[in-house]
Amino acid sequence: MATSVWSTQAQGGADPQDIIVEGTREQRTMQGGDWLVTISRSYRIGKSLDGGDTAMAVGKDREWHFCLADTQVEDFVRLLVGEGRSQAAGTTQCRPLKMRLGQGQLQATQTCQGGYASSKDANTGRVTRFQTRLMMYVSGNYGGSALKLDFENRREPLMNLPDAPGIGQQRTPPDIMRWSVKGERAGACSLGKAR
């Protein structure tokens, strides 16, 4: 099958360079109608860069009904990720969101840098502020009436942090946040009516 590479632009005037979509030109339109979209609670895994717990469940499951017109899968994913940009501060610089679609399977990645975190030395109480890198991974499957996506957001220092004097540098484990999004078409609806 022929493979193509192109940039896509979601509605709202987003920069077309924010996203690169690759894959076969197959039918991948989510059918319009009443969609039930569920976002799972997030799970934080690994030692927090800010000194938090080693593992933590965050938030709770949430669900919404949306009355959607026919929608391209890549545009819907782009909106979930954040228009091809990180959820961090406006100073964050992001590479384009890269998405590969084909045979009902989806993979997407994005790397951003520019956000900051801090680390406190347990012995001296000294706080070190450092720049971080954010990496988003998305995988899942899609169809005309259903969608299931798994997200993983990794946050790590751009450089290793200094350890105790004379010992060198330590490799700081990343913060990892994981959650999932499921969507199912529940039936027909009239555009303009959402609940």
Side-chain angles (χ1 to χ4, degrees):
M1 295 181 115
T3 300
S4 58
V5 180
W6 70 96
S7 292
T8 185
Q9 184 172 0
Q11 294 179 355
D15 184 346
Q17 301 305 313
D18 281 346
I19 182 170
I20 299 171
V21 183
E22 300 180 341
T24 55
R25 288 187 178 275
E26 61 182 18
Q27 181 70 25
R28 48 176 178 253
T29 302
M30 299 163 59
Q31 184 182 358
D34 177 25
W35 276 74
L36 173 64
V37 177
T38 303
I39 301 180
S40 76
R41 70 188 307 172
S42 298
Y43 290 88
R44 178 181 228 162
I45 301 163
K47 182 173 176 56
S48 168
L49 295 180
D50 295 314
D53 295 334
T54 56
M56 179 190 304
V58 181
K60 60 183 180 180
D61 292 350
R62 309 243 351 233
E63 65 178 40
W64 291 269
H65 279 272
F66 292 104
C67 187
L68 298 178
D70 287 353
T71 303
Q72 295 297 307
V73 169
E74 55 263 38
D75 288 340
F76 189 69
V77 175
R78 176 192 176 111
L79 292 171
L80 290 173
V81 172
E83 289 292 335
R85 302 181 190 279
S86 165
Q87 73 273 29
T91 57
T92 299
Q93 299 295 315
C94 295
R95 294 180 181 171
L97 172 67
K98 294 183 180 180
M99 192 182 309
R100 181 161 187 81
L101 300 162
Q103 298 180 344
Q105 302 294 311
L106 179 149
Q107 290 185 325
T109 59
Q110 184 176 46
T111 302
C112 304
Q113 65 186 51
Y116 287 88
S118 58
S119 177
K120 184 174 182 179
D121 188 298
N123 298 321
T124 66
R126 183 177 145 213
V127 175
T128 303
R129 188 169 183 260
F130 52 90
Q131 196 172 22
T132 61
R133 170 174 42 233
L134 299 172
M135 291 163 287
M136 172 76 77
Y137 302 95
V138 187
S139 62
N141 51 70
Y142 60 87
S145 59
L147 180 86
K148 168 70 165 63
L149 301 173
D150 295 313
F151 291 79
E152 178 177 293
N153 194 359
R154 301 174 68 92
R155 181 172 173 238
E156 64 183 24
L158 278 177
M159 302 183 344
N160 290 342
L161 299 179
D163 203 347
I167 297 179
Q169 292 185 325
Q170 62 180 341
R171 180 65 182 164
T172 304
D175 272 347
I176 300 175
M177 295 288 287
R178 292 182 180 143
W179 67 98
S180 63
V181 174
K182 291 192 294 187
E184 294 182 355
R185 186 178 184 275
C189 65
S190 299
L191 286 175
K193 294 181 179 179
R195 50 191 170 90

